[in-house]
């Protein structure tokens, strides 16, 4: 069993959990992920590592409540335990070949780029962070990003905070000024695709983290398969990060919606059942 050391509500449907997992914390790096089960009968769900403390033996994840497993997790309190917490899985981020990076986080994807911002900043290289969300309430870890970036730009769809517009508007403006050799994007598939298109327009390399449908996290189930550079790849063992200009985003977008209606229906039923005891 893995103890929830702390639980923090970031916004209406998003929580930050610090989990006691010494063996995972000992080995994990930025860009990798874990798979957890809330209880013995629960679904296996992957989450990218948002932070870790090797001395404390803890790993931090940020979870948006969107389905049965995440809803069940949201009912857990500090001090309680979850059944399984397996990792680290996948390959760590490697941006060592780049000197000046734009990190782009869309929505909950902002959680994923925080460890990268910390590492790039500590290495003495230039890092600019662009955060995007529908409104001000969905922006997370603003103060941390200020600390670990040379420049922080916030974009909101409704203009309630920062600048009004999409992250691609900020990326295009930055690339127009020059001085960057990589754009690293994490968030909704359509956002990542659009960001990669902008980077390609300026001849700048792009990297994306693909959060595909996943079951086992070891390459056995094939659920996370993608087409990258015309070849079949698996996000769990070959990724989760790939060069953005090589990813078949149209295929990935189509596959990501396969279970959307079923998940929504199941989520509503589970919420009602748990509410009624």
């Amino acid at each position: 069993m893995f103890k929830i050391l702390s639980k923090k509500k970031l916004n209406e449907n998003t929580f930050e959990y610090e989990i006691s997992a010494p063996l995972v914390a000992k080995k994990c790096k930025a860009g990798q992920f874990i798979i957890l089960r809330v209880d013995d009968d629960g679904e296996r769900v992957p989450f990218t590592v948002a932070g870790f403390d090797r001395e404390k033996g803890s790993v931090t994840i940020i979870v948006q409540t969107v389905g049965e497993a995440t809803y069940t997790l949201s009912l857990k309190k500090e001090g309680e335990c979850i059944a399984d917490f397996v990792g680290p899985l996948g390959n760590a981020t490697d941006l060592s070949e780049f000197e000046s990076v734009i990190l782009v986080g869309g929505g909950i994807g902002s959680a994923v780029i925080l460890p990268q911002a910390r590492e790039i900043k500590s290495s003495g290289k230039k890092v600019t962070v662009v955060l995007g969300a529908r409104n001000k309430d969905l922006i997370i870890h603003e103060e941390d990003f200020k600390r670990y970036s040379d420049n922080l730009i916030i974009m909101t769809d409704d203009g309630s905070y920062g600048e009004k517009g999409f992250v691609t508007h900020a990326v295009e403006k930055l690339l127009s000024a020059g001085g960057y050799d990589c754009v690293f994007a994490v968030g909704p598939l359509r956002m990542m695709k659009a960001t990669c298109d902008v980077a390609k327009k300026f001849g700048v390399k792009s990297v994306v983290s693909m959060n595909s449908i996943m079951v086992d996290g070891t390459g056995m189930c094939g659920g996370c398969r993608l087409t990258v550079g015309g070849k079949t790849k698996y996000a769990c063992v070959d990724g989760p990060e790939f060069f953005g200009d090589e990813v078949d985003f149209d295929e990935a977008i189509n596959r990501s919606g396969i279970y959307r209606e079923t998940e929504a229906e199941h989520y509503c039923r589970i919420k009602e059942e748990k509410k009624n005891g």
Side-chain angles (χ1 to χ4, degrees):
M1 302 293 280
F2 298 84
K3 189 176 181 179
I4 299 174
L5 299 178
S6 67
K7 176 184 177 183
K8 179 181 179 182
K9 189 172 185 177
L10 300 181
N11 56 51
E12 184 178 357
N13 294 312
T14 306
F15 295 88
E16 179 181 271
Y17 301 87
E18 185 182 14
I19 310 294
S20 177
L23 294 180
V24 181
K26 184 178 180 180
K27 297 289 186 178
C28 69
K29 298 179 180 179
Q32 293 184 295
F33 66 96
I34 58 88
I35 287 182
L36 66 76
R37 286 195 307 164
V38 181
D39 49 50
D40 290 336
D41 298 320
E43 176 186 2
R44 293 167 56 87
V45 190
F47 296 102
T48 305
V49 171
F52 52 86
D53 187 324
R54 301 198 199 283
E55 292 185 7
K56 192 175 181 181
S58 66
V59 176
T60 300
I61 57 173
I62 295 180
V63 181
Q64 188 173 32
T65 306
V66 293
E68 177 189 359
T70 52
Y71 177 68
T72 303
L73 180 60
S74 74
L75 300 178
K76 289 283 187 178
K77 300 175 182 178
E78 287 185 8
E80 294 185 333
C81 296
I82 60 176
D84 295 316
F85 195 86
V86 179
L89 300 168
N91 299 298
T93 300
D94 183 6
L95 300 175
S96 58
E97 65 180 284
F98 305 110
E99 295 299 322
S100 183
V101 181
I102 301 173
L103 297 177
V104 185
I108 195 69
S110 300
V112 180
I113 66 171
L114 183 56
Q116 280 84 353
R118 188 182 293 114
E119 287 198 4
I120 296 172
K121 183 71 172 177
S122 65
S123 71
K125 295 183 178 181
K126 181 181 177 182
V127 56
T128 289
V129 173
V130 179
L131 302 181
R134 293 194 306 275
N135 56 59
K136 179 181 178 179
D137 294 337
L138 300 179
I139 297 294
I140 60 175
H141 287 311
E142 180 182 352
E143 293 306 314
D144 288 325
F145 280 114
K146 286 181 179 178
R147 187 180 306 117
Y148 297 118
S149 66
D150 297 296
N151 183 24
L152 173 63
I153 300 171
I154 295 176
M155 306 293 295
T156 51
D157 296 357
D158 62 0
S160 56
Y161 196 57
E163 300 178 37
K164 184 176 182 178
F166 302 130
V167 293
T168 48
H169 298 155
V171 172
E172 183 153 12
K173 186 176 181 180
L174 289 167
L175 293 181
S176 295
Y180 296 95
D181 55 4
C182 178
V183 177
F184 182 97
V186 186
L189 288 169
R190 295 184 189 279
M191 181 279 282
M192 290 195 291
K193 178 184 179 182
T195 301
C196 292
D197 287 343
V198 172
K200 187 175 182 178
K201 173 182 172 182
F202 287 91
V204 173
K205 207 67 179 174
S206 60
V207 179
V208 293
S209 180
M210 300 300 291
N211 301 305
S212 308
I213 296 170
M214 196 178 295
V215 179
D216 66 283
T218 63
M220 297 295 289
C221 75
C224 66
R225 66 186 181 277
L226 304 159
T227 299
V228 181
K231 298 179 180 179
T232 298
K233 299 287 185 179
Y234 298 94
C236 64
V237 292
D238 297 317
E241 295 169 7
F242 301 94
F243 287 120
D245 61 325
E246 297 181 359
V247 175
D248 186 337
F249 277 104
D250 291 333
E251 176 190 66
I253 290 169
N254 287 335
R255 292 198 70 244
S256 69
I258 291 175
Y259 302 109
R260 188 170 292 126
E261 291 183 8
T262 302
E263 287 175 340
E265 180 182 340
H266 192 50
Y267 178 35
C268 290
R269 179 174 62 79
I270 291 297
K271 283 185 68 176
E272 194 62 32
E273 288 178 356
K274 290 186 181 294
K275 189 183 297 183
N276 296 328

